[in-house]
Amino acid sequence: MPKRNASAEYLFLAFFFLTIGCDGQERGQVSAFAQPSPLAESLPRFLTEPEDGFIVRNNPVLLSCAASPATQIYFKCNGEWLHQKAHNSQEHIDDSTGRTVWEVKTDVSRQQVEEIFGLDDYWCQCVAWSAAGTTKSRKAYIRIAYFRKNFEQEPLGKKVPVNRELQLHCRPPNAVPPPQVKWLKNDIVIDPAKDPNFYITVEHNLIIKQARFEDMANYTCLAKNVVASRRSSTALVIVYVDGGWSQWTEWSECSSKCARGLQKRTRACSNPTPLNGGTFCTGEAIQKIACTTPCPVDGSWGEWSKWSACGPECTHWRSRECSYPSPGNGGKDCSDSPLQSQNCTKGLCMKSSQYRQEFINTSETRDEIALYAGVAVALVVAVGIVLAAAVVLYKRRRHEYGSDILDATSAMTGGFGPANLKAGRHDNSHLLCMAVQPDLTASAGQFHGASFPPREGLQKIAMTQSPLLESMPLTHGKACASVCMSSMDSATTVEFGQNHPPALASVDSEPGSLSHNFRCHSIPHRPGMGFAAMPEKKEKTAVPPLGALPYDRRPSAYGTFGCMGGRLVIANAGVSLLVPPGAIPQGQFYKMYLMVSHDDALRPVLEGDQTLLSPVVVFGPPNVPLLTPVVVSVPHCAELCSEDWLLSMQRQETGGDWEEMLRYREEPPFPPCYWQLGNGVCHLMTETPAAYALLGEPLSPAAVKLLRLAAFGPSVCPSLEYSLRIYCLPDDDDSLEEVVELEKRLGGRLVVESKTLRFKANAGDLRLSVHNTPNTLWTNKLQDRFQDIPFGHIWPGTQRLLHCMFTLERNALSTAELSCKLCVQQLEGEGQILHVQTLLHNVCSPLSGSSLQGGAGVLTLVGPAAFKLPYAIRQKLCGSLDVQSPHGHDWRLLAHKLGVHRCMEYFQSKPSPTGTILDLWEAQHLEDGDLDLLATVLEEMGRREDMNPQTTET
């Protein structure tokens, strides 16, 4: 329709208004140009609006709309008014409201739509008038519907083994509107809701999860829209079974009864029997071996033995054996008796009764002599045992009393006597006790090796036998311990590197000397060797080469803490240990460690659908007394939702089994410990050093476990083949750090930034595939375009370094760039796409793209420097908030303000509830701790005066 100029459109509108005015006067109504009524009408409201439509072949699309109150309604299409003759208008009275309802209809033909050139679609809308103004309806878009004939991809017939997955592809023809796709099995529509063995993807592909015999049929892809329906060619699916051998039968008897023969055994190709074209069993169905059956041998008597001595009955005996030869292989035994007797005195034998009495008397005399000799030997042995026990007990008593004798030079050597002195008692061997208060104004020293207490006035401590200094599990790391002389004005910060094995310090000193020379030797730490163990000989230890170190280097941190506490942080693993002030008794020092265990044998045993949601974190040493709880922060990979998860904290003490310690939202009234779960991290307050891990059991298929997807490729690729390794890891930094370390050793690099995948507990496998690879430059060497990782391999979280590898081959060495998409999709779940864009290096050159940052950042903070809140302010807050206020402005309100009020009984059971709450706040705000936010909370509680501004600087 040609466009009118502006003056023509104004004349057309004026004609509409004049028509409306005339019609209104005929009906006794006031026209739009008449004098307005004192009771003004409202704007028109559309009761029916035009709907989108498609022109099928040459059939026009009917548009209709209705409005009330309205005096006129007209259509405007693509910015132009339709002619009045194109409208079919009518009015009627609404029975419910009593108002006049105008309804108008119009037809849009194919010619009108085709006259519009450009990318915009043809549209129409209604415009309604009343005395109050105009109202426009929504735009209705009209498109020409079509449906191409040829499918872009049709399903192909396939043969699949039973219980294997099968995928049929279908890409329908191009059409407007987009067609709806269904699959037919022998001309019957497949409904995945009724048969979950079928799954239709968003790309309209049909997946048979496990091919069954009843799934052997003809499959057709059916596409349909308003224009027509199209059927693809039929694909025949054959489910076959390859034959398998049954068990061998027992060997038959030898075919010969007495000589060489044959034995045989058989098996059948019936486990299972080949079906539907499956391959027949390969191999022999009959096996034969040579055999020899020994012939039977009849027994024969040997020579008689000599006659025995003459007996009391005047008779002697002799015997013979059936052994020349012995009967065998079913041969006959010897006949007749093997014994023979005869009179040995030729009739001159004495009476039997007299001879018997003399024989009895002689036997009794011999028995009495043997009895007396046995009693005498037993008495001698008993006396010897008593004497030996007395000697051992005497020596042990002397050893205990002698251990209390201290050498006079022990005061000058810091409590460590010469090597020839005996070790002290173990009454308080788990503590590094000091007889006098340490100098709190002295700075703590930093060195590598063992820690030594101050020299003035110390009691003797058996360092090498203390349970506090029990060895940690076998690990390699750089152990840099320090002595903490904590004070408000000084602290010591000690950093540990990952790439150095733990060390023992050898000390060159003499009694009375005020200086020590330390040598740090990189040797692996062994069980039974404490960090403070003093070597008896000054010998250098060889540093093992890098190749000799094990790959499994568990991130760990160590530090020596006193009464002012401190913090151990393994930054790249997201694990930390906060030892608050007052947790360690006054005047004592504990050498503590924090470790992330990668040992599969130390992980808890999973039951049912349980999954490991956090790394196994160990801190110690075990069995040390703590006055207040420490805070262990552990990352986890669960997407928190109380309706989807049953979470539990597991603990394993030294020498014990894993046991459930806490269950989320099911804690007892006075729990032994407390935990605060947040997004991605769990803060645990406990007084028991042990190994801890977070387990989860899904309560519904909607439970989500977060996975980290990381793709690696070789740093240098001198050949045509290029391997992509995609790892599926728990979403925590420790797992990614472990893979980075492994790939560095393999010469790999991260080719794309890692991403997070929401993995659901719906038993769906994980499918990995490569897409959009330039076909002219690269070739995928795998026959299948995708690989699957079973759900049971991923969900428990106990299989480390889980990954798939895709091998691509470039057509020439000159191809120096790879661009593709790595698609990771959980069946019936969510997915992620990793866009790979990387350069290839045929020889060693600087890495491009993402680099590997290996090595765990380990940090040890000692004393006040480890805390955001100054010690003086902390003590002031504890003194004012620990006392319960009748208005509730005490530690209870502080817990509510800070969001840690889930288990108030736990804080109430501690000596200082406020201090325990502040310790948890310190652990929660390791990186983003802001004292201004804490000051705002205290100001809302009316405790602003407790935060002295002059002391808030850290």
Side-chain angles (χ1 to χ4, degrees):
M1 180 183 294
K3 294 186 178 179
R4 304 182 181 91
N5 55 26
S7 59
E9 184 173 357
Y10 292 150
L11 292 175
F12 186 63
L13 290 175
F15 172 75
F16 283 162
F17 293 145
L18 290 175
T19 304
I20 294 170
C22 295
D23 293 342
Q25 291 177 1
E26 291 177 359
R27 292 189 299 269
Q29 299 176 352
V30 180
S31 69
F33 299 99
Q35 191 71 19
S37 172
L39 297 177
E41 293 183 353
S42 60
L43 288 173
R45 182 174 63 87
F46 281 95
L47 305 179
T48 303
E49 296 186 82
E51 299 291 338
D52 296 340
F54 296 92
I55 296 178
V56 180
R57 297 180 178 86
N58 294 322
N59 298 324
V61 175
L62 178 63
L63 301 179
S64 64
C65 60
S68 176
T71 56
Q72 278 294 347
I73 301 178
Y74 288 93
F75 275 98
K76 189 175 186 181
C77 296
N78 274 45
E80 297 183 359
W81 297 98
L82 294 184
H83 195 275
Q84 186 178 10
K85 294 181 180 180
H87 295 78
N88 182 12
S89 302
Q90 58 180 338
E91 62 174 332
H92 63 273
I93 304 298
D94 190 350
D95 297 335
S96 59
T97 61
R99 293 187 175 184
T100 302
V101 177
W102 273 87
E103 184 177 1
V104 62
K105 297 180 182 179
T106 187
D107 290 331
V108 178
S109 65
R110 185 188 185 97
Q111 181 181 1
Q112 291 176 265
V113 176
E114 290 178 344
E115 288 178 355
I116 302 300
F117 297 97
L119 299 178
D120 295 336
D121 294 329
Y122 188 88
W123 59 268
C124 292
Q125 68 177 159
C126 289
V127 181
W129 282 271
S130 70
T134 61
T135 302
K136 296 180 180 180
S137 69
R138 64 176 295 275
K139 291 182 179 180
Y141 292 90
I142 295 90
R143 302 176 180 87
I144 297 176
Y146 64 89
F147 201 167
R148 302 288 184 254
K149 292 184 179 181
N150 298 325
F151 278 75
E152 295 185 7
Q153 184 177 8
E154 292 186 294
L156 301 177
K158 291 185 178 181
K159 294 180 62 176
V160 60
V162 67
N163 296 329
R164 291 286 185 87
E165 184 180 284
L166 172 65
Q167 183 172 2
L168 298 176
H169 298 274
C170 175
R171 293 176 61 185
N174 192 15
V176 173
Q180 295 181 352
V181 177
K182 296 181 180 180
W183 281 88
L184 304 180
K185 174 184 175 182
N186 292 337
D187 292 334
I188 299 177
V189 178
I190 297 175
D191 187 1
K194 296 181 180 179
D195 191 349
N197 194 44
F198 293 100
Y199 175 67
I200 301 177
T201 65
V202 294
E203 295 86 5
H204 311 303
N205 297 329
L206 177 65
I207 294 178
I208 303 177
K209 299 178 181 178
Q210 288 185 334
R212 305 162 299 186
F213 289 116
E214 56 264 31
D215 297 329
M216 188 167 58
N218 292 318
Y219 290 86
T220 308
C221 182
L222 176 65
K224 183 179 181 180
N225 72 351
V226 295
V227 176
S229 62
R230 302 279 189 261
R231 290 170 62 105
S232 68
S233 59
T234 300
L236 175 61
V237 172
I238 298 177
V239 181
Y240 66 89
V241 177
D242 290 332
W245 290 112
S246 63
Q247 295 293 329
W248 288 100
T249 61
E250 297 293 334
W251 288 103
S252 65
E253 295 183 358
C254 192
S255 59
S256 176
K257 299 297 183 180
C258 177
R260 292 180 58 85
L262 291 176
Q263 281 182 291
K264 68 176 182 179
R265 63 176 182 175
T266 60
R267 60 179 178 175
C269 187
S270 59
N271 186 29
T273 303
L275 293 174
N276 302 328
T279 59
F280 196 79
C281 304
T282 59
E284 298 179 352
I286 301 176
Q287 280 187 348
K288 296 181 180 181
I289 59 174
C291 61
T292 301
T293 303
C295 297
V297 177
D298 295 335
S300 178
W301 291 113
E303 295 293 334
W304 288 102
S305 65
K306 294 183 179 181
W307 289 102
S308 66
C310 195
E313 298 293 336
C314 301
T315 304
H316 60 179
W317 299 82
R318 68 176 181 176
S319 63
R320 58 180 177 175
E321 295 181 358
C322 186
S323 57
Y324 294 93
S326 299
N329 305 324
K332 297 179 180 180
D333 202 354
C334 299
S335 59
D336 298 331
S337 174
L339 296 175
Q340 188 179 27
S341 64
Q342 67 180 11
N343 189 286
C344 58
T345 61
K346 297 182 180 180
L348 299 178
C349 184
M350 65 184 299
K351 294 182 179 179
S352 299
S353 60
Q354 180 182 357
Y355 181 82
R356 187 181 299 111
Q357 185 63 39
E358 291 178 358
F359 179 78
I360 293 173
N361 292 338
T362 303
S363 300
E364 290 179 353
T365 302
R366 293 176 180 175
D367 293 342
E368 290 177 358
I369 294 174
L371 176 62
Y372 293 147
V375 172
V377 172
L379 288 176
V380 172
V381 173
V383 172
I385 293 175
V386 172
L387 290 177
V391 172
V392 173
L393 182 60
Y394 173 73
K395 289 184 178 181
R396 184 172 299 176
R397 291 290 181 89
R398 289 195 59 187
H399 177 74
E400 292 181 358
Y401 290 131
S403 63
D404 293 332
I405 302 174
L406 300 179
D407 187 76
T409 62
S410 62
M412 297 299 293
T413 60
F416 295 96
N420 58 355
L421 287 184
K422 299 178 180 179
R425 294 185 184 179
H426 302 282
D427 296 339
N428 293 317
S429 59
H430 59 281
L431 307 176
L432 300 178
C433 303
M434 295 195 299
V436 296
Q437 184 72 13
D439 184 9
L440 299 180
T441 62
S443 299
Q446 176 178 348
F447 58 89
H448 301 289
S451 302
F452 298 89
R455 298 182 174 279
E456 294 77 15
L458 293 180
Q459 67 180 14
K460 184 176 180 182
I461 306 174
M463 292 287 290
T464 59
Q465 301 178 11
S466 171
L468 169 63
L469 305 177
E470 287 182 6
S471 63
M472 292 180 56
L474 179 60
T475 181
H476 285 75
K478 186 174 181 181
C480 301
S482 65
V483 176
C484 169
M485 306 297 183
S486 303
S487 68
M488 289 300 298
D489 300 323
S490 66
T492 300
T493 301
V494 186
E495 293 189 359
F496 295 81
Q498 183 194 14
N499 297 327
H500 304 279
L504 292 176
S506 62
V507 183
D508 298 333
S509 63
E510 298 179 358
S513 175
L514 297 179
S515 64
H516 295 276
N517 297 321
F518 295 86
R519 298 194 300 271
C520 186
H521 302 304
S522 298
I523 63 175
H525 192 265
R526 296 179 177 88
M529 182 188 299
F531 285 103
M534 295 291 297
E536 296 182 359
K537 296 182 181 180
K538 303 174 184 178
E539 297 179 354
K540 294 186 178 180
T541 306
V543 179
L546 181 62
L549 296 177
Y551 165 68
D552 187 9
R553 298 198 226 167
R554 292 161 283 189
S556 55
Y558 320 92
T560 302
F561 303 111
C563 60
M564 298 303 295
R567 194 192 300 258
L568 295 175
V569 181
I570 307 176
N572 287 1
V575 178
S576 65
L577 171 67
L578 185 138
V579 182
I584 300 176
Q586 184 80 14
Q588 299 177 1
F589 293 90
Y590 291 172
K591 185 167 291 186
M592 307 190 72
Y593 62 83
L594 177 67
M595 181 183 68
V596 179
S597 175
H598 293 163
D599 191 352
D600 295 339
L602 296 181
R603 295 186 177 182
V605 179
L606 303 181
E607 299 178 355
D609 296 333
Q610 284 184 332
T611 177
L612 184 63
L613 296 175
S614 75
V616 177
V617 177
V618 186
F619 82 94
N623 304 324
V624 294
L626 297 172
L627 302 181
T628 59
V630 299
V631 186
V632 185
S633 299
V634 182
H636 68 82
C637 57
E639 190 174 87
L640 295 181
C641 181
S642 59
E643 298 178 356
D644 297 336
W645 283 105
L646 178 60
L647 303 175
S648 63
M649 179 62 69
Q650 302 281 330
R651 177 177 69 189
Q652 183 189 40
E653 298 188 47
T654 303
D657 297 330
W658 283 96
E659 59 181 355
E660 183 179 88
M661 184 181 55
L662 287 174
R663 183 171 290 183
Y664 192 57
R665 299 191 184 278
E666 297 182 12
E667 295 87 350
F670 291 92
C673 49
Y674 177 82
W675 60 344
Q676 186 75 20
L677 278 171
N679 290 328
V681 66
C682 171
H683 304 283
L684 175 68
M685 305 192 74
T686 179
E687 301 172 17
T688 306
Y692 293 90
L694 179 65
L695 300 187
E697 183 175 354
L699 299 179
S700 70
V704 173
K705 179 179 180 180
L706 300 179
L707 300 181
R708 184 80 64 90
L709 305 176
F712 291 84
S715 301
V716 178
C717 184
S719 64
L720 295 177
E721 290 188 355
Y722 186 88
S723 297
L724 282 173
R725 293 179 293 276
I726 309 172
Y727 290 83
C728 302
L729 312 166
D731 188 23
D732 58 72
D733 295 336
D734 175 64
S735 300
L736 182 61
E737 191 70 22
E738 184 182 5
V739 173
V740 168
E741 281 295 320
L742 173 63
E743 285 291 336
K744 285 178 62 179
R745 292 172 177 269
L746 297 177
R749 66 188 181 102
L750 194 66
V751 296
V752 67
E753 196 70 24
S754 62
K755 289 188 177 182
T756 301
L757 173 68
R758 299 175 72 252
F759 192 73
K760 295 184 179 181
N762 58 3
D765 297 342
L766 197 64
R767 173 157 295 176
L768 299 89
S769 56
V770 180
H771 300 274
N772 294 358
T773 305
N775 295 331
T776 58
L777 302 177
W778 291 88
T779 303
N780 190 348
K781 299 193 68 176
L782 292 179
Q783 296 181 354
D784 297 330
R785 296 183 59 187
F786 61 87
Q787 298 185 48
D788 286 351
I789 302 179
F791 176 84
H793 291 185
I794 302 175
W795 184 255
T798 55
Q799 296 195 20
R800 297 163 48 207
L801 309 179
L802 198 61
H803 71 281
C804 280
M805 184 172 69
F806 290 91
T807 302
L808 306 177
E809 184 176 4
R810 49 181 172 172
N811 297 337
L813 288 176
S814 59
T815 303
E817 183 178 2
L818 173 62
S819 175
C820 65
K821 292 181 180 180
L822 301 177
C823 299
V824 184
Q825 171 78 41
Q826 184 186 14
L827 297 182
E828 304 181 13
E830 300 183 9
Q832 276 286 12
I833 297 179
L834 303 178
H835 298 270
V836 177
Q837 187 85 24
T838 183
L839 297 177
L840 277 65
H841 302 280
N842 298 334
V843 295
C844 295
S845 61
L847 296 179
S848 61
S850 303
S851 60
L852 299 182
Q853 302 293 334
V858 179
L859 182 65
T860 301
L861 298 174
V862 182
F867 307 99
K868 302 288 184 181
L869 187 65
Y871 182 76
I873 296 180
R874 182 184 187 276
Q875 294 300 101
K876 187 175 181 180
L877 289 173
C878 294
S880 60
L881 297 180
D882 281 345
V883 181
Q884 293 191 2
S885 169
H887 301 289
H889 291 184
D890 49 28
W891 63 269
R892 295 169 295 179
L893 183 58
L894 178 65
H896 280 273
K897 292 288 185 181
L898 297 180
V900 295
H901 57 282
R902 187 168 49 84
C903 190
M904 302 291 284
E905 295 85 356
Y906 177 79
F907 301 114
Q908 186 179 359
S909 63
K910 300 305 170 185
S912 175
T914 306
T916 307
I917 295 172
L918 293 176
D919 296 338
L920 183 57
W921 179 85
E922 288 274 2
Q924 289 177 314
H925 299 82
L926 171 62
E927 298 180 357
D928 60 346
D930 189 354
L931 293 181
D932 292 337
L933 297 177
L934 184 60
T936 302
V937 172
L938 294 173
E939 186 174 5
E940 294 175 356
M941 296 173 57
R943 298 283 186 171
R944 179 66 179 178
E945 67 279 359
D946 293 335
M947 293 287 289
N948 188 349
Q950 297 180 355
T951 61
T952 58
E953 297 180 0
T954 58

